[in-house]
Amino acid sequence: MMNLDFQQIFTQIVGFLVLLALLKVFFWKPILSLLDERKDKIAAEFKNIEEAKAEMAKLKAEYDSKLISIEETIRQKLREAIEEGKRISAEMKVKAEVQAARIIESGRENIAQELSKAKQELKAQIVDLALRATESIILEKLTAEHDKKIVEDFLEKIDQA
């Protein structure tokens, strides 16, 4: 059957245990510490990535709020510009109406002055015609028929004037 040598098995077990102890002291601890360092480094990188994502989300939220604020400011400026345009338009309309009223009033005054001048000239012409008619009547001292004809001629002259 088998011939087992317990001393050799014992020596191999002790050698294996010594080898296992040596591997544990010299190789397992450094390898495990390297693996732990790498795991910690990877965890730190994941943490940094998460922090960067959070920072990006925060920056995006700030950007969106600033963009909304800028858009609202633009809308407000446009409303103000439209109101200013309406105000200026209304002012220009009022000024134009005032100026038109002045022009109309000036025209009316000119017409009134021209009418007054025409009346004065007409009065002067009527006075002149009356003086001529009177002069003619006085100079001629004719009959009533003739006086009547002179007055009728005078009235025709007035109608023509």
Side-chain angles (χ1 to χ4, degrees):
M1 302 225 235
M2 265 190 191
N3 201 356
L4 292 173
D5 186 12
F6 287 107
Q7 190 174 6
Q8 190 180 8
I9 292 175
F10 181 73
T11 308
Q12 284 183 358
I13 289 175
V14 170
F16 178 74
L17 290 176
V18 169
L19 179 66
L20 194 60
L22 287 175
L23 284 176
K24 187 177 180 184
V25 170
F26 292 109
F27 292 108
W28 280 107
K29 284 189 180 182
I31 288 173
L32 289 177
S33 68
L34 284 176
L35 289 176
D36 286 340
E37 285 178 23
R38 182 167 170 95
K39 184 177 92 175
D40 292 341
K41 186 177 177 182
I42 291 171
E45 289 296 322
F46 277 125
K47 183 179 176 186
N48 288 341
I49 290 170
E50 290 300 320
E51 288 174 357
K53 281 183 181 178
E55 183 67 24
M56 291 299 289
K58 180 182 171 186
L59 289 174
K60 185 180 183 299
E62 287 177 10
Y63 170 77
D64 289 341
S65 68
K66 285 181 182 179
L67 186 62
I68 290 169
S69 173
I70 289 170
E71 287 174 351
E72 184 59 34
T73 303
I74 290 171
R75 284 189 198 107
Q76 181 63 30
K77 295 285 185 187
L78 283 173
R79 279 187 234 124
E80 289 172 3
I82 290 170
E83 291 300 319
E84 181 68 15
K86 287 179 181 177
R87 185 187 62 78
I88 290 171
S89 173
E91 285 179 6
M92 290 175 67
K93 183 178 178 183
V94 168
K95 286 180 182 178
E97 289 173 352
V98 168
Q99 188 176 9
R102 283 185 199 152
I103 291 171
I104 290 171
E105 186 59 31
S106 174
R108 285 182 181 160
E109 289 175 3
N110 287 341
I111 291 171
Q113 288 174 355
E114 291 297 321
L115 184 61
S116 176
K117 279 184 186 177
K119 285 181 181 179
Q120 291 296 330
E121 288 177 11
L122 186 61
K123 281 182 185 178
Q125 288 177 359
I126 289 174
V127 168
D128 187 44
L129 287 174
L131 286 176
R132 286 185 198 164
T134 306
E135 182 182 342
S136 297
I137 291 173
I138 292 174
L139 289 177
E140 289 188 17
K141 281 290 180 182
L142 299 169
T143 64
E145 276 182 35
H146 194 47
D147 289 346
K148 187 176 181 184
K149 184 172 183 336
I150 292 173
V151 170
E152 286 175 2
D153 289 342
F154 172 72
L155 289 176
E156 283 181 30
K157 288 181 183 178
I158 291 176
D159 284 340
Q160 290 174 359

